[in-house]
Amino acid sequence: MRNRQRLALPSETGRIRAVRRLELALSLALLCQFLLGMAVNLFVKVPADHPGAKPPEYFSGVAQSVAWALAHGGIWLALHAGLGLALVLTALAALLTATRSGSRAAVVSTTVGFLAVLGAGFNGGSFLNYGEDFSSMIMASLFAVALGSYVVGLWRIPTVAAPS
C-alpha cells in the first residue's frame, strides 16, 4: 500500500503559519527575557522583606511578590516580571493554536515550551518569595528547555500540514 500524504486545508495551513510565527516570537522574547534576567542579577537587590516574601502560602506569595516587582521592583525587575507574564500568555496562545493546527510536531513543541515557560515563571516567583539561588538556576534551565523546544518546533513543523 502506498504512503499517501494528506493535503492541508487552508485553515490548517494558516494555523501552522501562525504557530511558526508565535514560536519565532517566543524564541526572540525568551532571549530578551534571559538578557533582562542577567540585568536583574547584576543590578537589582531584592529586599528580604517585600510584600510576598517568605509567605505562609506559596501561590498568594507569588501573586504578591510579582505585583510588588511590577510596581516597586525597579525598572529591570519590572521589565523582567512583565515580560515573563507576557511570555506565559503567548506560550499558551501558541499551544492553543497548535492544538487546532493538525500538526503533532506543533503540539509537542508548544506543549513542552509552555510547560517550561510556566515552570520558569513559578521559579521566578519562588525566587522572589524565598531568595534561594537554586530557584534562579531552575528558572534559567527551564528557559533553555523552552527556547530549545521552540527552535526545534520551528525546524520540525512543516509549512504545510503533513500526516502526523
Side-chain angles (χ1 to χ4, degrees):
M1 186 170 195
R2 293 180 124 189
N3 199 5
R4 297 176 65 188
Q5 280 193 327
R6 172 179 74 85
L7 292 176
L9 298 172
S11 61
E12 290 175 329
T13 302
R15 287 185 188 118
I16 288 171
R17 286 187 182 131
V19 172
R20 289 176 59 86
R21 282 192 300 270
L22 284 166
E23 286 194 323
L24 178 60
L26 282 160
S27 297
L28 296 173
L30 281 164
L31 290 171
C32 291
Q33 182 71 329
F34 182 77
L35 294 174
L36 284 171
M38 292 300 99
V40 168
N41 194 30
L42 290 173
F43 304 122
V44 176
K45 174 70 173 140
V46 177
D49 60 348
H50 64 80
K54 313 240 182 316
E57 196 275 315
Y58 174 78
F59 292 105
S60 64
V62 167
Q64 289 178 332
S65 291
V66 171
W68 169 84
L70 290 168
H72 305 289
I75 188 70
W76 296 116
L77 185 57
L79 287 171
H80 188 61
L83 182 54
L85 292 172
L87 278 165
V88 170
L89 294 175
T90 307
L92 180 59
L95 175 58
L96 294 174
T97 304
T99 59
R100 294 178 297 202
S101 73
S103 169
R104 184 181 310 161
V107 172
V108 170
S109 67
T110 58
T111 298
V112 172
F114 172 71
L115 292 174
V117 167
L118 189 63
F122 276 117
N123 276 282
S126 185
F127 180 79
L128 285 173
N129 282 359
Y130 306 108
E132 297 291 339
D133 289 338
F134 67 86
S135 294
S136 184
M137 184 207 61
I138 294 169
M139 183 174 32
S141 299
L142 289 172
F143 145 81
V145 170
L147 181 60
S149 175
Y150 292 130
V151 168
V152 167
L154 284 168
W155 174 64
R156 288 285 300 145
I157 297 170
T159 54
V160 178
S164 298

